[in-house]
Amino acid sequence: MASSSLLWLCSSNPLISPATHLKAHPRFPIRHRFRCSLVEPLKFENGKPHFPLLTSDPAFPTFLSPNSHFQNDINKHDTRLRIFSGTANPALAQEIACYMGLELGKIKIKRFADGEIYVQLQESVRGCDVFLVQPTCPPANENLMELLIMIDACRRASAKNITAVIPYFGYARADRKTQGRESIAAKLVANLITEAGANRVLACDLHSGQSMGYFDIPVDHVYGQPVILDYLASKTICSDDLVVVSPDVGGVARARAFAKKLSDAPLAIVDKRRHGHNVAEVMNLIGDVKGKVAVMVDDMIDTAGTIAKGAALLHQEGAREVYACSTHAVFSPPAIERLSSGLFQEVIITNTIPVSEQNYFPQLTVLSVANLLGETIWRVHDDCSGGFEPYATLGID
């Protein structure tokens, strides 16, 4: 009734404005009054909106190119999205932010004289969807503790959702009991991340699929295979000469999936017997590699003992060239000496773990998974699925 009277009064007397009438009538509280003119333009807390920086480098999967039909369906200027980086791999976090057209959130991380970690967010995250990029790579304990404190800081700052983006999940190899009185450290770390306050986890190439079941929160598991496959496709290697090799029996499923996407190449398996941690002994080879280009596929390279002995066996069996492909480059000593000894034509890895400058060697090729993780973050943020082509190869959902 009051609103209709107001409209009649304004229409019958053009000299009386609605604002004047509102001031004269205290029945309209201040919170119900409107202001239609903008004094200044809207501000974006994540910086000026702009198109994401994409690259035409063949190291990135072609289905993540700027021509992707899905790109137009995403609001990439959403200021409710925040990305923060720990100290483990800031270069990868910066690449992810560039792909998404955002800026990294401001965060203060320092260590006291006794080694304790201090974390303070330098901007508000209240009600925001926060993504924390922090692989738990060596030093694993330092980076893991830093991630936990970052999660706790975001939870106490009233973030709406907290996603731990863990490109490399440390302690993933301790995922079962192979002997009596062993711990399952992967389950313990999963509990720590959950109890710290994370709402979900985004991981890349977990050592084993059952690790996802250790979390009581949703886990988005993506694979680095599309990045490596896209790079191999750019090389002039005849498909009839290719053979995909699994360095052990445990990696057969991974190698079989890789071979199917690589022109359905044949598969070979290296049978090894392990006598202790980081100690491997190669016994024999299952499959034919004579005169062929062998592509060894594994999820990580630690000391490179397994993959180096496997490459030596492949050369003995008549392989023409040997390529090593791995998502995670842990590179514990003496990995560099083994990988650069001339056994490999090329060692192809991704940047889920930063490679120090002194660990580079001529045969090393580092590919970026920033586009892959960036696209996944958008899909998680917008509650979209990756289960349709061409995103089905991401392994999301």
Side-chain angles (χ1 to χ4, degrees):
M1 175 69 74
S3 60
S4 59
S5 301
L6 175 62
L7 292 175
W8 176 85
L9 179 63
C10 293
S11 60
S12 62
N13 190 352
L15 299 179
I16 301 178
S17 66
T20 303
H21 188 80
L22 286 172
K23 290 180 181 179
H25 292 268
R27 288 192 303 168
F28 292 91
I30 295 177
R31 65 177 181 271
H32 290 161
R33 304 180 187 183
F34 302 97
R35 187 174 185 177
C36 299
S37 61
L38 287 177
V39 178
E40 57 182 358
L42 297 177
K43 295 181 179 179
F44 291 82
E45 296 183 10
N46 276 348
K48 296 181 180 179
H50 56 280
F51 292 103
L53 302 178
L54 298 176
T55 177
S56 58
D57 193 326
F60 294 100
T62 53
F63 55 79
L64 296 180
S65 62
N67 296 326
S68 174
H69 65 86
F70 190 79
Q71 182 181 358
N72 297 328
D73 298 335
I74 301 178
N75 178 16
K76 299 198 173 183
H77 307 319
D78 192 345
T79 58
R80 310 303 292 175
L81 173 63
R82 297 286 194 280
I83 302 177
F84 293 92
S85 173
T87 61
N89 198 345
L92 175 59
Q94 184 62 61
E95 288 186 40
I96 293 173
C98 286
Y99 170 80
M100 302 177 69
L102 302 174
E103 295 180 2
L104 285 177
K106 297 178 181 179
I107 186 171
K108 181 180 181 181
I109 302 175
K110 69 176 184 178
R111 282 163 173 77
F112 293 106
D114 61 352
E116 293 182 2
I117 302 172
Y118 173 81
V119 173
Q120 182 190 28
L121 303 178
Q122 301 290 294
E123 59 185 68
S124 174
V125 296
R126 184 178 297 274
C128 293
D129 202 358
V130 178
F131 292 82
L132 305 175
V133 182
Q134 175 79 345
T136 55
C137 53
N141 299 333
E142 285 281 319
N143 292 329
L144 174 60
M145 194 64 196
E146 184 179 306
L147 173 62
L148 298 177
I149 298 176
M150 290 170 64
I151 294 173
D152 183 71
C154 293
R155 179 175 63 88
R156 297 181 186 277
S158 301
K160 182 179 180 181
N161 290 301
I162 305 171
T163 301
V165 182
I166 311 176
Y168 170 72
F169 181 62
Y171 288 101
R173 284 173 285 184
D175 56 1
R176 64 192 185 280
K177 290 184 67 172
T178 58
Q179 303 179 50
R181 301 174 296 280
E182 281 186 336
S183 69
I184 304 179
K187 172 60 176 173
L188 173 63
V189 173
N191 288 342
L192 290 173
I193 294 173
T194 304
E195 290 300 319
N199 299 108
R200 68 188 308 126
V201 168
L202 170 56
C204 183
D205 265 340
L206 292 170
H207 185 64
S208 56
Q210 67 259 29
S211 298
M212 288 186 286
Y214 296 156
F215 290 89
D216 295 327
I217 54 178
V219 177
D220 293 292
H221 186 206
V222 300
Y223 300 88
Q225 282 189 3
V227 178
I228 299 176
L229 286 166
D230 203 64
Y231 175 76
L232 289 175
S234 66
K235 304 183 74 66
T236 57
I237 302 176
C238 181
S239 58
D240 295 334
D241 295 338
L242 279 174
V243 57
V244 176
V245 182
S246 173
D248 53 26
V249 177
V252 171
R254 182 185 304 108
R256 185 186 294 116
F258 194 89
K260 186 175 181 180
K261 297 184 180 74
L262 200 63
S263 302
D264 203 12
L267 182 67
I269 305 170
V270 175
D271 177 31
K272 72 173 184 181
R273 304 295 168 89
R274 188 181 292 277
H275 298 290
H277 296 293
N278 293 330
V279 178
E281 180 181 351
V282 174
M283 301 299 293
N284 51 48
L285 177 69
I286 304 172
D288 181 25
V289 298
K290 188 173 182 179
K292 294 189 176 183
V293 177
V295 179
M296 300 189 72
V297 181
D298 208 350
D299 64 320
M300 70 174 69
I301 299 177
D302 190 358
T303 61
T306 297
I307 204 163
K309 290 185 177 181
L313 178 63
L314 292 175
H315 282 292
Q316 292 176 10
E317 296 293 329
R320 189 169 79 245
E321 293 177 350
V322 178
Y323 288 80
C325 300
S326 177
T327 304
H328 309 300
V330 182
F331 285 178
S332 302
I336 303 302
E337 290 78 5
R338 290 170 172 170
L339 294 174
S340 59
S341 61
L343 290 172
F344 300 96
Q345 180 75 16
E346 192 172 359
V347 178
I348 305 168
I349 62 171
T350 69
N351 61 343
T352 56
I353 299 176
V355 180
S356 58
E357 189 175 347
Q358 61 267 24
N359 285 340
Y360 277 90
F361 52 94
Q363 296 87 359
L364 184 65
T365 299
V366 182
L367 308 178
S368 178
V369 294
N371 287 20
L372 185 71
L373 294 177
E375 189 68 31
T376 308
I377 289 175
W378 276 125
R379 289 174 174 275
V380 171
H381 176 62
D382 287 331
D383 295 326
C384 297
S385 170
F388 55 88
E389 293 294 340
Y391 294 92
T393 55
L394 301 181
I396 312 172
D397 198 29

